[in-house]
Amino acid sequence: MVLHRGGDTGAYLNVYSWVWDNVLHFGGAAAGQPALDCPDTDPTRFVRVTGTERERSWIGCVWELAPLVHERDAWVRHMLAPEAPDLAGYLGDALRTGTTGSTGATGATA
């Protein structure tokens, strides 16, 4: 899960989950961003981001990709590459908490 507070009024919640053994499912919500059909600029009122009105097949912005890369690498390292899956190792393999990016000014929080 990635919670990203944008540099404007927007806040974005990206939730990923593994399905089967090698496919990543995505669900997203946004708040405070009228361009994404949010009702207002309140960054705490989340609405589901869907593709029903306009095509929205986005999976995240550049600041949100570092946690996604870590998740993919941890899944491969602990669940797919070993002879036997290591669920405890996977669950214990966490990306450091904090911001991503070189400045930390507008990064995502993992």
Side-chain angles (χ1 to χ4, degrees), residues 31-96:
Q33 185 54 264
L36 294 176
D37 302 325
C38 297
D40 52 38
T41 58
D42 179 355
T44 65
R45 184 185 290 178
F46 283 88
V47 296
R48 189 81 194 256
V49 175
T50 64
T52 56
E53 298 289 324
R54 295 181 289 243
E55 177 58 35
R56 293 197 178 117
S57 57
W58 314 324
I59 62 164
C61 85
V62 66
W63 302 113
E64 298 158 355
L65 295 179
L68 186 56
V69 168
H70 175 84
E71 173 66 19
R72 180 258 176 216
D73 291 348
W75 186 257
V76 170
R77 182 171 43 254
H78 298 289
M79 301 300 290
L80 298 180
E83 189 172 315
D86 177 12
L87 181 59
Y90 168 71
L91 294 175
D93 191 335
L95 180 65
R96 66 172 174 78

